[in-house]
């Protein structure tokens, strides 16, 4: 009964965990406590099919560095390397199963308690089931996140096709990016006639907006680094020295990390950047989303520039015809009168 109450308490803890890593860490720790074991480990298969040690209890870092020397290392080899002494004769392990497919394993080195082997497996299986619910939820959240990101690209593309005044959409696009990616600051920076870059649209910036700044290729700001790359450039300026030696928005104490991409051609347009007040990593999906949005903005700005040139050419043609017709009207009137 004591172990059942403990298992119920652990289930509540897992339900209130805020991240998958926290769930996995709680799982291995509580698994070791439930079985009064000395060490525990939880392994999961990554998308490429390789096993990864995702969480451990009472395992030293020196052991962890040796568990995945080759990509074809078996589950047994990894557990032996991680759990060390006692694995062969004193370990209990259960698979982690989602939709009938083994996605990993939870293993514990037994303690000196009088728990039966059947009860040990039952307790571990109950913990494993709770963990798999969290893993499945994380997977579904990722699928939903990708769907929202694709919807963002489609929505922005549709708005850019609908409206010729692209610059009038900068704030709207920035708000959509901020909401979808869960980011604090979004900025679209464009080149001014004098060569500096200024904030053309964004969200999260307090008044006054960042002052115009120079962001040429070869300078030290991360926005400038994006000019020399065909891909988004991520940064995390948590180090005070890095921030002090960098230009532009990295000097803003609110900005600790970000992702910037050039709106091609950068010499003509500018950069699209997302910035965070807290250190964070940007996924490949988020980089792809930002690159796609920059491509859409580039195409829309090119179209807007071409339409502006066409309108200017049409106005010049109309002006020329008006001048010529006015100049011909006088001589033609004289000829008609004489005739």
């Amino acid at each position: 009964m004591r172990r059942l109450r403990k298992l119920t308490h652990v289930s509540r803890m897992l339900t209130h965990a805020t991240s998958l890593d926290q769930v996995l860490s709680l799982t291995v720790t509580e698994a070791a406590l439930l079985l009064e074991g000395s060490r525990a480990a939880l392994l999961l298969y990554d998308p490429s099919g390789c096993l990864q040690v995702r969480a451990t209890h009472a395992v030293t870092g020196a052991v962890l560095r040796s568990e995945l020397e080759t990509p074809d290392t078996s589950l047994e080899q990894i557990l032996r390397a991680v759990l060390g002494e006692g694995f062969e004769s004193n370990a209990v392990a259960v698979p982690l199963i989602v939709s009938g497919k083994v996605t990993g394993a939870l293993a514990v080195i037994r303690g000196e308690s009088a728990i039966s082997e059947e009860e040990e497996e039952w307790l571990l299986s109950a913990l494993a089931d709770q963990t798999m619910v969290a893993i499945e939820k994380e997977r579904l959240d990722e699928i939903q996140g990708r769907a929202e990101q694709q919807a963002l690209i489609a929505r922005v593309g549709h708005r850019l096709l609908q409206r010729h005044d692209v610059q009038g959409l900068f704030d709207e696009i920035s708000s959509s990016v901020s909401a979808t990616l869960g980011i604090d600051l979004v900025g679209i920076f464009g080149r001014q006639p004098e060569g500096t870059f200024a904030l053309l649209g964004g969200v999260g910036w307090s008044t006054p907006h960042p002052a115009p700044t120079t962001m040429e290729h070869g300078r030290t700001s991360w926005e400038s680094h994006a000019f020399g790359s065909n891909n988004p450039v991520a940064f995390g300026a948590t180090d005070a020295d890095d921030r002090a030696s960098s230009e532009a928005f990295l000097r803003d104490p609110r900005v600790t990390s970000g992702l910037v991409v050039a709106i091609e051609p950068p010499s003509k347009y500018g950069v699209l950047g997302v910035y965070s007040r807290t250190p964070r990593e940007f996924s490949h999906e988020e980089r792809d989303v930002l690159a796609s949005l920059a491509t859409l903005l580039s195409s829309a700005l090119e179209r807007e520039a071409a339409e502006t040139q066409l309108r200017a050419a049409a106005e010049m043609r109309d002006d020329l015809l008006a001048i010529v017709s006015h100049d011909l009207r006088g001589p033609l009137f004289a000829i008609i009168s004489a005739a």
Side-chain angles (χ1 to χ4, degrees), residues 240-284:
D241 294 335
D242 288 345
R243 186 180 298 136
S245 64
S246 299
E247 300 174 317
F249 306 102
L250 283 178
R251 290 181 299 194
D252 190 326
R254 296 174 301 173
V255 174
T256 60
S257 54
L259 185 66
V260 290
V261 60
I263 301 173
E264 297 292 341
S267 58
K268 185 176 181 180
Y269 298 127
V271 294
L272 168 63
V274 294
Y275 305 86
S276 176
R277 294 186 177 95
T278 56
R280 61 165 287 177
E281 298 291 332
F282 291 91
S283 65
H284 292 293

mmCIF file of all heavy atoms in Angstrom, residues 240-284:
data_model
loop_
_atom_site.group_PDB
_atom_site.id
_atom_site.type_symbol
_atom_site.label_atom_id
_atom_site.label_comp_id
_atom_site.label_asym_id
_atom_site.label_seq_id
_atom_site.Cartn_x
_atom_site.Cartn_y
_atom_site.Cartn_z
ATOM 1 N N ALA A 240 28.820 38.249 -21.237
ATOM 2 C CA ALA A 240 28.904 39.710 -21.220
ATOM 3 C C ALA A 240 29.945 40.233 -22.207
ATOM 4 O O ALA A 240 29.745 41.267 -22.845
ATOM 5 C CB ALA A 240 29.238 40.202 -19.809
ATOM 6 N N ASP A 241 31.085 39.524 -22.347
ATOM 7 C CA ASP A 241 32.128 39.969 -23.271
ATOM 8 C C ASP A 241 31.639 39.924 -24.713
ATOM 9 O O ASP A 241 31.900 40.825 -25.506
ATOM 10 C CB ASP A 241 33.382 39.112 -23.113
ATOM 11 C CG ASP A 241 34.042 39.303 -21.756
ATOM 12 O OD1 ASP A 241 33.844 40.388 -21.171
ATOM 13 O OD2 ASP A 241 34.739 38.387 -21.304
ATOM 14 N N ASP A 242 30.922 38.831 -25.059
ATOM 15 C CA ASP A 242 30.378 38.725 -26.408
ATOM 16 C C ASP A 242 29.414 39.863 -26.694
ATOM 17 O O ASP A 242 29.424 40.461 -27.763
ATOM 18 C CB ASP A 242 29.647 37.391 -26.593
ATOM 19 C CG ASP A 242 30.620 36.228 -26.667
ATOM 20 O OD1 ASP A 242 31.822 36.491 -26.866
ATOM 21 O OD2 ASP A 242 30.181 35.081 -26.525
ATOM 22 N N ARG A 243 28.569 40.179 -25.719
ATOM 23 C CA ARG A 243 27.592 41.238 -25.938
ATOM 24 C C ARG A 243 28.285 42.596 -26.055
ATOM 25 O O ARG A 243 27.913 43.428 -26.871
ATOM 26 C CB ARG A 243 26.576 41.261 -24.793
ATOM 27 C CG ARG A 243 25.440 42.247 -25.045
ATOM 28 C CD ARG A 243 24.451 42.246 -23.889
ATOM 29 N NE ARG A 243 23.840 40.946 -23.736
ATOM 30 C CZ ARG A 243 23.658 40.354 -22.565
ATOM 31 N NH1 ARG A 243 24.071 40.924 -21.473
ATOM 32 N NH2 ARG A 243 23.072 39.183 -22.494
ATOM 33 N N ALA A 244 29.312 42.820 -25.247
ATOM 34 C CA ALA A 244 29.997 44.109 -25.281
ATOM 35 C C ALA A 244 30.733 44.330 -26.596
ATOM 36 O O ALA A 244 30.871 45.455 -27.063
ATOM 37 C CB ALA A 244 30.979 44.209 -24.110
ATOM 38 N N SER A 245 31.230 43.246 -27.210
ATOM 39 C CA SER A 245 31.996 43.379 -28.443
ATOM 40 C C SER A 245 31.122 43.317 -29.682
ATOM 41 O O SER A 245 31.618 43.447 -30.797
ATOM 42 C CB SER A 245 33.056 42.271 -28.518
ATOM 43 O OG SER A 245 32.431 40.997 -28.578
ATOM 44 N N SER A 246 29.811 43.104 -29.506
ATOM 45 C CA SER A 246 28.914 43.006 -30.644
ATOM 46 C C SER A 246 28.165 44.314 -30.852
ATOM 47 O O SER A 246 27.983 45.097 -29.926
ATOM 48 C CB SER A 246 27.906 41.872 -30.439
ATOM 49 O OG SER A 246 28.569 40.643 -30.306
ATOM 50 N N GLU A 247 27.751 44.498 -32.083
ATOM 51 C CA GLU A 247 27.041 45.719 -32.432
ATOM 52 C C GLU A 247 25.533 45.499 -32.397
ATOM 53 O O GLU A 247 25.043 44.417 -32.149
ATOM 54 C CB GLU A 247 27.442 46.161 -33.840
ATOM 55 C CG GLU A 247 28.919 46.443 -33.984
ATOM 56 C CD GLU A 247 29.281 46.721 -35.428
ATOM 57 O OE1 GLU A 247 28.791 46.001 -36.311
ATOM 58 O OE2 GLU A 247 30.031 47.652 -35.650
ATOM 59 N N ALA A 248 24.837 46.552 -32.681
ATOM 60 C CA ALA A 248 23.394 46.538 -32.912
ATOM 61 C C ALA A 248 22.640 45.988 -31.713
ATOM 62 O O ALA A 248 22.914 46.330 -30.583
ATOM 63 C CB ALA A 248 23.056 45.780 -34.193
ATOM 64 N N PHE A 249 21.708 45.074 -31.932
ATOM 65 C CA PHE A 249 20.717 44.735 -30.928
ATOM 66 C C PHE A 249 21.235 43.771 -29.872
ATOM 67 O O PHE A 249 20.583 43.576 -28.860
ATOM 68 C CB PHE A 249 19.484 44.187 -31.630
ATOM 69 C CG PHE A 249 18.997 45.140 -32.676
ATOM 70 C CD1 PHE A 249 19.263 44.897 -34.010
ATOM 71 C CD2 PHE A 249 18.349 46.296 -32.330
ATOM 72 C CE1 PHE A 249 18.857 45.796 -34.978
ATOM 73 C CE2 PHE A 249 17.933 47.196 -33.289
ATOM 74 C CZ PHE A 249 18.188 46.945 -34.615
ATOM 75 N N LEU A 250 22.405 43.179 -30.101
ATOM 76 C CA LEU A 250 22.978 42.331 -29.058
ATOM 77 C C LEU A 250 23.381 43.153 -27.839
ATOM 78 O O LEU A 250 23.536 42.617 -26.758
ATOM 79 C CB LEU A 250 24.187 41.570 -29.591
ATOM 80 C CG LEU A 250 23.880 40.372 -30.475
ATOM 81 C CD1 LEU A 250 25.162 39.747 -30.961
ATOM 82 C CD2 LEU A 250 23.063 39.361 -29.739
ATOM 83 N N ARG A 251 23.548 44.441 -28.008
ATOM 84 C CA ARG A 251 23.908 45.277 -26.874
ATOM 85 C C ARG A 251 22.698 45.587 -26.002
ATOM 86 O O ARG A 251 22.841 46.102 -24.912
ATOM 87 C CB ARG A 251 24.539 46.578 -27.373
ATOM 88 C CG ARG A 251 25.908 46.373 -27.988
ATOM 89 C CD ARG A 251 26.519 47.664 -28.445
ATOM 90 N NE ARG A 251 25.700 48.319 -29.474
ATOM 91 C CZ ARG A 251 26.131 49.316 -30.231
ATOM 92 N NH1 ARG A 251 27.348 49.770 -30.079
ATOM 93 N NH2 ARG A 251 25.352 49.857 -31.128
ATOM 94 N N ASP A 252 21.514 45.288 -26.511
ATOM 95 C CA ASP A 252 20.304 45.469 -25.732
ATOM 96 C C ASP A 252 20.282 44.427 -24.619
ATOM 97 O O ASP A 252 20.322 43.233 -24.897
ATOM 98 C CB ASP A 252 19.081 45.302 -26.638
ATOM 99 C CG ASP A 252 17.792 45.723 -25.951
ATOM 100 O OD1 ASP A 252 17.696 45.513 -24.728
ATOM 101 O OD2 ASP A 252 16.909 46.264 -26.633
ATOM 102 N N PRO A 253 20.219 44.842 -23.344
ATOM 103 C CA PRO A 253 20.271 43.852 -22.258
ATOM 104 C C PRO A 253 19.098 42.880 -22.268
ATOM 105 O O PRO A 253 19.167 41.819 -21.651
ATOM 106 C CB PRO A 253 20.261 44.724 -20.989
ATOM 107 C CG PRO A 253 19.676 46.032 -21.420
ATOM 108 C CD PRO A 253 20.115 46.213 -22.839
ATOM 109 N N ARG A 254 18.017 43.210 -22.990
ATOM 110 C CA ARG A 254 16.880 42.299 -23.037
ATOM 111 C C ARG A 254 17.152 41.099 -23.938
ATOM 112 O O ARG A 254 16.547 40.047 -23.782
ATOM 113 C CB ARG A 254 15.649 43.029 -23.566
ATOM 114 C CG ARG A 254 15.172 44.163 -22.677
ATOM 115 C CD ARG A 254 14.044 44.915 -23.357
ATOM 116 N NE ARG A 254 14.475 45.470 -24.634
ATOM 117 C CZ ARG A 254 13.663 46.065 -25.496
ATOM 118 N NH1 ARG A 254 12.385 46.150 -25.228
ATOM 119 N NH2 ARG A 254 14.123 46.563 -26.623
ATOM 120 N N VAL A 255 18.047 41.269 -24.903
ATOM 121 C CA VAL A 255 18.250 40.236 -25.918
ATOM 122 C C VAL A 255 19.384 39.316 -25.498
ATOM 123 O O VAL A 255 20.526 39.739 -25.355
ATOM 124 C CB VAL A 255 18.558 40.873 -27.289
ATOM 125 C CG1 VAL A 255 18.910 39.803 -28.308
ATOM 126 C CG2 VAL A 255 17.372 41.700 -27.757
ATOM 127 N N THR A 256 19.075 38.039 -25.283
ATOM 128 C CA THR A 256 20.103 37.064 -24.931
ATOM 129 C C THR A 256 20.301 36.016 -26.010
ATOM 130 O O THR A 256 21.326 35.340 -26.032
ATOM 131 C CB THR A 256 19.755 36.353 -23.614
ATOM 132 O OG1 THR A 256 18.510 35.671 -23.777
ATOM 133 C CG2 THR A 256 19.639 37.351 -22.472
ATOM 134 N N SER A 257 19.322 35.838 -26.883
ATOM 135 C CA SER A 257 19.467 34.877 -27.975
ATOM 136 C C SER A 257 18.520 35.280 -29.093
ATOM 137 O O SER A 257 17.590 36.068 -28.890
ATOM 138 C CB SER A 257 19.153 33.449 -27.496
ATOM 139 O OG SER A 257 17.875 33.398 -26.896
ATOM 140 N N GLY A 258 18.786 34.767 -30.278
ATOM 141 C CA GLY A 258 17.949 35.140 -31.409
ATOM 142 C C GLY A 258 18.255 34.329 -32.647
ATOM 143 O O GLY A 258 19.144 33.471 -32.663
ATOM 144 N N LEU A 259 17.488 34.622 -33.686
ATOM 145 C CA LEU A 259 17.617 33.955 -34.974
ATOM 146 C C LEU A 259 17.359 35.001 -36.045
ATOM 147 O O LEU A 259 16.317 35.658 -36.040
ATOM 148 C CB LEU A 259 16.601 32.816 -35.072
ATOM 149 C CG LEU A 259 16.645 31.901 -36.294
ATOM 150 C CD1 LEU A 259 17.941 31.088 -36.308
ATOM 151 C CD2 LEU A 259 15.448 30.957 -36.293
ATOM 152 N N VAL A 260 18.325 35.195 -36.937
ATOM 153 C CA VAL A 260 18.204 36.230 -37.964
ATOM 154 C C VAL A 260 18.472 35.623 -39.336
ATOM 155 O O VAL A 260 19.252 34.688 -39.482
ATOM 156 C CB VAL A 260 19.174 37.406 -37.703
ATOM 157 C CG1 VAL A 260 18.761 38.204 -36.497
ATOM 158 C CG2 VAL A 260 20.607 36.912 -37.537
ATOM 159 N N VAL A 261 17.805 36.179 -40.352
ATOM 160 C CA VAL A 261 17.982 35.709 -41.720
ATOM 161 C C VAL A 261 17.880 36.916 -42.646
ATOM 162 O O VAL A 261 17.100 37.841 -42.410
ATOM 163 C CB VAL A 261 16.924 34.646 -42.083
ATOM 164 C CG1 VAL A 261 15.515 35.201 -41.980
ATOM 165 C CG2 VAL A 261 17.166 34.078 -43.473
ATOM 166 N N ALA A 262 18.690 36.902 -43.692
ATOM 167 C CA ALA A 262 18.682 38.012 -44.644
ATOM 168 C C ALA A 262 17.465 37.920 -45.559
ATOM 169 O O ALA A 262 17.056 36.832 -45.966
ATOM 170 C CB ALA A 262 19.962 37.990 -45.479
ATOM 171 N N ILE A 263 16.881 39.071 -45.853
ATOM 172 C CA ILE A 263 15.832 39.171 -46.866
ATOM 173 C C ILE A 263 16.543 39.543 -48.161
ATOM 174 O O ILE A 263 17.000 40.671 -48.329
ATOM 175 C CB ILE A 263 14.785 40.234 -46.487
ATOM 176 C CG1 ILE A 263 14.142 39.890 -45.145
ATOM 177 C CG2 ILE A 263 13.708 40.341 -47.570
ATOM 178 C CD1 ILE A 263 13.209 40.971 -44.615
ATOM 179 N N GLU A 264 16.682 38.585 -49.039
ATOM 180 C CA GLU A 264 17.505 38.763 -50.230
ATOM 181 C C GLU A 264 16.896 39.772 -51.203
ATOM 182 O O GLU A 264 15.680 39.812 -51.376
ATOM 183 C CB GLU A 264 17.688 37.416 -50.941
ATOM 184 C CG GLU A 264 18.418 36.369 -50.111
ATOM 185 C CD GLU A 264 19.872 36.703 -49.872
ATOM 186 O OE1 GLU A 264 20.403 37.533 -50.637
ATOM 187 O OE2 GLU A 264 20.471 36.164 -48.943
ATOM 188 N N PRO A 265 17.741 40.551 -51.911
ATOM 189 C CA PRO A 265 19.174 40.710 -51.585
ATOM 190 C C PRO A 265 19.328 41.649 -50.403
ATOM 191 O O PRO A 265 18.681 42.701 -50.368
ATOM 192 C CB PRO A 265 19.756 41.318 -52.858
ATOM 193 C CG PRO A 265 18.624 42.068 -53.450
ATOM 194 C CD PRO A 265 17.358 41.319 -53.096
ATOM 195 N N PRO A 266 20.158 41.299 -49.401
ATOM 196 C CA PRO A 266 20.277 42.120 -48.195
ATOM 197 C C PRO A 266 20.780 43.530 -48.487
ATOM 198 O O PRO A 266 20.476 44.460 -47.747
ATOM 199 C CB PRO A 266 21.267 41.339 -47.322
ATOM 200 C CG PRO A 266 21.997 40.449 -48.272
ATOM 201 C CD PRO A 266 21.028 40.128 -49.351
ATOM 202 N N SER A 267 21.551 43.680 -49.569
ATOM 203 C CA SER A 267 22.053 45.005 -49.913
ATOM 204 C C SER A 267 20.927 45.946 -50.307
ATOM 205 O O SER A 267 21.056 47.167 -50.248
ATOM 206 C CB SER A 267 23.058 44.899 -51.061
ATOM 207 O OG SER A 267 22.443 44.295 -52.191
ATOM 208 N N LYS A 268 19.786 45.348 -50.691
ATOM 209 C CA LYS A 268 18.649 46.151 -51.126
ATOM 210 C C LYS A 268 17.566 46.226 -50.065
ATOM 211 O O LYS A 268 16.950 47.276 -49.875
ATOM 212 C CB LYS A 268 18.075 45.551 -52.409
ATOM 213 C CG LYS A 268 16.953 46.369 -53.032
ATOM 214 C CD LYS A 268 16.525 45.738 -54.337
ATOM 215 C CE LYS A 268 15.421 46.555 -55.008
ATOM 216 N NZ LYS A 268 14.983 45.952 -56.283
ATOM 217 N N TYR A 269 17.338 45.117 -49.370
ATOM 218 C CA TYR A 269 16.246 45.077 -48.409
ATOM 219 C C TYR A 269 16.772 45.065 -46.979
ATOM 220 O O TYR A 269 17.026 46.094 -46.403
ATOM 221 C CB TYR A 269 15.336 43.886 -48.689
ATOM 222 C CG TYR A 269 14.682 43.984 -50.052
ATOM 223 C CD1 TYR A 269 14.772 42.952 -50.973
ATOM 224 C CD2 TYR A 269 13.983 45.124 -50.422
ATOM 225 C CE1 TYR A 269 14.178 43.050 -52.217
ATOM 226 C CE2 TYR A 269 13.390 45.240 -51.663
ATOM 227 C CZ TYR A 269 13.487 44.190 -52.565
ATOM 228 O OH TYR A 269 12.920 44.293 -53.797
ATOM 229 N N GLY A 270 16.931 43.900 -46.374
ATOM 230 C CA GLY A 270 17.367 43.900 -44.991
ATOM 231 C C GLY A 270 17.373 42.530 -44.376
ATOM 232 O O GLY A 270 17.715 41.545 -45.019
ATOM 233 N N VAL A 271 16.973 42.460 -43.094
ATOM 234 C CA VAL A 271 16.975 41.196 -42.370
ATOM 235 C C VAL A 271 15.684 41.060 -41.585
ATOM 236 O O VAL A 271 15.040 42.044 -41.215
ATOM 237 C CB VAL A 271 18.177 41.081 -41.400
ATOM 238 C CG1 VAL A 271 19.488 41.024 -42.147
ATOM 239 C CG2 VAL A 271 18.167 42.218 -40.399
ATOM 240 N N LEU A 272 15.322 39.797 -41.347
ATOM 241 C CA LEU A 272 14.200 39.449 -40.480
ATOM 242 C C LEU A 272 14.791 38.758 -39.262
ATOM 243 O O LEU A 272 15.564 37.811 -39.403
ATOM 244 C CB LEU A 272 13.234 38.517 -41.218
ATOM 245 C CG LEU A 272 12.151 37.809 -40.393
ATOM 246 C CD1 LEU A 272 11.202 38.815 -39.765
ATOM 247 C CD2 LEU A 272 11.388 36.815 -41.261
ATOM 248 N N GLY A 273 14.469 39.238 -38.081
ATOM 249 C CA GLY A 273 15.053 38.669 -36.878
ATOM 250 C C GLY A 273 14.019 38.396 -35.799
ATOM 251 O O GLY A 273 13.047 39.142 -35.661
ATOM 252 N N VAL A 274 14.219 37.302 -35.058
ATOM 253 C CA VAL A 274 13.414 37.015 -33.871
ATOM 254 C C VAL A 274 14.368 36.937 -32.692
ATOM 255 O O VAL A 274 15.441 36.354 -32.777
ATOM 256 C CB VAL A 274 12.607 35.711 -34.021
ATOM 257 C CG1 VAL A 274 11.568 35.852 -35.111
ATOM 258 C CG2 VAL A 274 13.498 34.511 -34.328
ATOM 259 N N TYR A 275 13.979 37.546 -31.572
ATOM 260 C CA TYR A 275 14.880 37.700 -30.431
ATOM 261 C C TYR A 275 14.165 37.283 -29.151
ATOM 262 O O TYR A 275 12.954 37.431 -29.019
ATOM 263 C CB TYR A 275 15.335 39.158 -30.298
ATOM 264 C CG TYR A 275 15.967 39.714 -31.551
ATOM 265 C CD1 TYR A 275 15.178 40.278 -32.547
ATOM 266 C CD2 TYR A 275 17.341 39.654 -31.744
ATOM 267 C CE1 TYR A 275 15.750 40.785 -33.709
ATOM 268 C CE2 TYR A 275 17.920 40.157 -32.897
ATOM 269 C CZ TYR A 275 17.115 40.715 -33.879
ATOM 270 O OH TYR A 275 17.685 41.214 -35.026
ATOM 271 N N SER A 276 14.946 36.749 -28.213
ATOM 272 C CA SER A 276 14.388 36.265 -26.954
ATOM 273 C C SER A 276 15.092 36.918 -25.776
ATOM 274 O O SER A 276 16.303 37.158 -25.821
ATOM 275 C CB SER A 276 14.523 34.739 -26.867
ATOM 276 O OG SER A 276 14.066 34.271 -25.614
ATOM 277 N N ARG A 277 14.316 37.199 -24.731
ATOM 278 C CA ARG A 277 14.890 37.758 -23.509
ATOM 279 C C ARG A 277 15.524 36.678 -22.635
ATOM 280 O O ARG A 277 16.264 36.991 -21.714
ATOM 281 C CB ARG A 277 13.806 38.490 -22.707
ATOM 282 C CG ARG A 277 13.258 39.736 -23.397
ATOM 283 C CD ARG A 277 12.300 40.484 -22.464
ATOM 284 N NE ARG A 277 11.818 41.700 -23.073
ATOM 285 C CZ ARG A 277 10.674 41.807 -23.741
ATOM 286 N NH1 ARG A 277 9.917 40.729 -23.891
ATOM 287 N NH2 ARG A 277 10.300 42.951 -24.256
ATOM 288 N N THR A 278 15.208 35.414 -22.924
ATOM 289 C CA THR A 278 15.790 34.306 -22.167
ATOM 290 C C THR A 278 16.561 33.410 -23.125
ATOM 291 O O THR A 278 16.156 33.239 -24.275
ATOM 292 C CB THR A 278 14.693 33.480 -21.472
ATOM 293 O OG1 THR A 278 13.747 33.035 -22.451
ATOM 294 C CG2 THR A 278 13.974 34.320 -20.433
ATOM 295 N N PRO A 279 17.673 32.813 -22.690
ATOM 296 C CA PRO A 279 18.433 31.919 -23.574
ATOM 297 C C PRO A 279 17.567 30.767 -24.056
ATOM 298 O O PRO A 279 16.864 30.138 -23.259
ATOM 299 C CB PRO A 279 19.574 31.424 -22.676
ATOM 300 C CG PRO A 279 19.700 32.461 -21.609
ATOM 301 C CD PRO A 279 18.319 32.983 -21.375
ATOM 302 N N ARG A 280 17.581 30.492 -25.341
ATOM 303 C CA ARG A 280 16.795 29.385 -25.889
ATOM 304 C C ARG A 280 17.458 28.872 -27.154
ATOM 305 O O ARG A 280 18.266 29.567 -27.777
ATOM 306 C CB ARG A 280 15.359 29.817 -26.181
ATOM 307 C CG ARG A 280 15.227 30.928 -27.201
ATOM 308 C CD ARG A 280 13.801 31.051 -27.724
ATOM 309 N NE ARG A 280 13.460 29.954 -28.613
ATOM 310 C CZ ARG A 280 12.251 29.798 -29.153
ATOM 311 N NH1 ARG A 280 11.289 30.641 -28.849
ATOM 312 N NH2 ARG A 280 12.008 28.801 -29.967
ATOM 313 N N GLU A 281 17.135 27.646 -27.492
ATOM 314 C CA GLU A 281 17.611 27.031 -28.716
ATOM 315 C C GLU A 281 16.523 27.133 -29.780
ATOM 316 O O GLU A 281 15.330 27.100 -29.460
ATOM 317 C CB GLU A 281 17.977 25.562 -28.477
ATOM 318 C CG GLU A 281 19.103 25.349 -27.479
ATOM 319 C CD GLU A 281 20.446 25.824 -28.005
ATOM 320 O OE1 GLU A 281 20.630 25.806 -29.238
ATOM 321 O OE2 GLU A 281 21.295 26.209 -27.187
ATOM 322 N N PHE A 282 16.935 27.252 -31.030
ATOM 323 C CA PHE A 282 15.981 27.309 -32.134
ATOM 324 C C PHE A 282 16.087 26.014 -32.934
ATOM 325 O O PHE A 282 17.178 25.611 -33.339
ATOM 326 C CB PHE A 282 16.265 28.518 -33.028
ATOM 327 C CG PHE A 282 15.956 29.828 -32.365
ATOM 328 C CD1 PHE A 282 16.935 30.506 -31.647
ATOM 329 C CD2 PHE A 282 14.695 30.386 -32.442
ATOM 330 C CE1 PHE A 282 16.657 31.712 -31.028
ATOM 331 C CE2 PHE A 282 14.401 31.586 -31.828
ATOM 332 C CZ PHE A 282 15.389 32.252 -31.116
ATOM 333 N N SER A 283 14.941 25.379 -33.144
ATOM 334 C CA SER A 283 14.914 24.095 -33.838
ATOM 335 C C SER A 283 15.110 24.283 -35.331
ATOM 336 O O SER A 283 15.017 25.401 -35.861
ATOM 337 C CB SER A 283 13.573 23.396 -33.585
ATOM 338 O OG SER A 283 12.506 24.139 -34.173
ATOM 339 N N HIS A 284 15.388 23.161 -36.024
ATOM 340 C CA HIS A 284 15.516 23.210 -37.480
ATOM 341 C C HIS A 284 14.213 23.665 -38.119
ATOM 342 O O HIS A 284 14.229 24.386 -39.126
ATOM 343 C CB HIS A 284 15.914 21.834 -38.019
ATOM 344 C CG HIS A 284 17.309 21.418 -37.637
ATOM 345 N ND1 HIS A 284 18.432 22.069 -38.112
ATOM 346 C CD2 HIS A 284 17.756 20.422 -36.826
ATOM 347 C CE1 HIS A 284 19.508 21.499 -37.613
ATOM 348 N NE2 HIS A 284 19.124 20.496 -36.828
#
